[in-house]
Amino acid sequence: MAKLGVNVDHVATLRQARGTEYPDPVLAAKIARDVGASCITVHLREDRRHINEDDVRRIRAIPGCRLNMEMAATDEIIAIAMQIRPDQITLVPEKRGELTTEGGLDVVARHVFYKELTKRFNDVGITVSLFIDPIATQIEASADTSALAVEINTAAYSEARTEKDSIRAMRELENAVAVARALGLIVHAGHGLNYQNVSSVAAIDGIEELNIGHSIVSHALYTGFPNAVATMMELMEKAATRHKSKVLA
Ligand code: PXP
C-alpha cells in the first residue's frame, strides 16, 4: 500500500502572505508525523516563495521525521542540500514564474549530468528520486543513473477534464509504474492529487509513496491539519484494500 508523504510548502505560503511567524510548517510537519505520514516534503525554491532554509533545517531536526527535500539541481541549492543532508532528495525542474512544478525532468537530455549528481548524493547517503513524466524513455534513462527512485508526475491525470483523457492518463501512469518497477526502481507519485482523485492512483500496484500538499493544506482550513492528513490516509488505505480484494476475487 502506498504511504503518504505530506508536502507542507503551502503552510509556509500562508505565513509568507503576511510576513508573520505563523503558521509554522514545522508544526504542521510534526502533526503529520504524529498522524502517521511516512515523510515530510518541502520544496526549497530559488525564490524562497514559501519554504526557507531555516524551515528545512528545523524539519530536519524533528525526531522520527523522514525529510524529502524537493529541489532544482542548481549549484546554490545543491550546496544547501549537501549541508542539511535530508533523507531523500527529489530533483525537479524549476521555472521562475511557474505557479507550481510544470512537468518532469528531461533525464534523457541531461543523462550524464543526473548520473553524476545522483552519485554525489548517494555517496553521502542521500536517497535520490527523479521527478519525471510517465514516459518509458525517461524512466529507462532514470534507471541508468544512481537514483534509487522516481516520482511519476500525476499532473496529466489530475488535470484531465474528460473521461477519455482521464482513462488515457491513468493507463500511462499504470504503464509507467510497471516499467519503473521492472527496472528495479522505487516508485513515488504525485502532483495535483486531492480527496476526489487520489483513490485511483492509490490503487495502482507498486507505488511506494504519494506526495500530496496543496489539497491537504486546503482541506485543513476547514477540518484541521490532523484530520486532513488522516482523511487522506484513510482514502488511500480504502482504495488499496478495495483493489486487493478485487484482485483476489
Ligand atoms: N511532487 C512534486 C514533485 C511536486 O513538485 C509537488 C508540488 O510541490 C507535489 C508532489 C505536490 O503537489 P500538490 O501540492 O499538487 O499535491
Side-chain angles (χ1 to χ4, degrees), residues 90-149:
T90 300
L91 291 172
V92 298
E94 193 175 300
K95 289 191 212 131
R96 235 167 244 188
E98 69 188 358
L99 286 178
T100 180
T101 311
E102 292 170 356
L105 298 167
D106 192 345
V107 187
V108 174
R110 300 190 71 199
H111 182 248
V112 175
F113 173 78
Y114 287 117
K115 197 166 183 157
E116 286 170 7
L117 183 58
T118 51
K119 182 175 182 321
R120 271 178 71 193
F121 287 134
N122 278 354
D123 285 349
V124 295
I126 303 172
T127 301
V128 182
S129 180
L130 300 174
F131 181 62
I132 51 171
D133 292 321
I135 299 171
T137 49
Q138 295 295 345
I139 300 165
E140 284 154 8
S142 301
D144 193 34
T145 66
S146 301
L148 288 183

Side-chain angles (χ1 to χ4, degrees), residues 7 15 26 77 89 112 116 123 178 180 185 206 208 235 238:
N7 180 317
R15 176 189 65 189
V26 180
I77 306 287
I89 281 172
V112 175
E116 286 170 7
D123 285 349
L185 291 160
E208 195 120 317
L235 283 174
K238 272 188 198 150

Side-chain angles (χ1 to χ4, degrees), residues 173-192:
L173 283 180
E174 287 167 344
N175 288 341
V177 174
V179 171
R181 294 289 298 132
L183 290 168
L185 291 160
I186 294 170
V187 182
H188 306 140
H191 214 285

Side-chain angles (χ1 to χ4, degrees), residues 3-53:
K3 290 174 269 178
L4 175 64
V6 176
N7 180 317
V8 296
D9 289 351
H10 295 302
V11 177
T13 301
L14 195 53
R15 176 189 65 189
Q16 298 312 104
R18 277 293 181 93
T20 47
E21 292 189 353
Y22 63 85
D24 186 358
V26 180
L27 184 52
K30 284 182 185 158
I31 293 170
R33 174 206 58 184
D34 291 347
V35 173
S38 76
C39 81
I40 299 300
T41 299
V42 287
H43 185 172
L44 184 67
R45 283 185 166 268
E46 183 195 23
D47 63 10
R48 309 293 198 272
R49 67 172 75 155
H50 36 54
I51 291 292
N52 60 43
E53 224 178 295

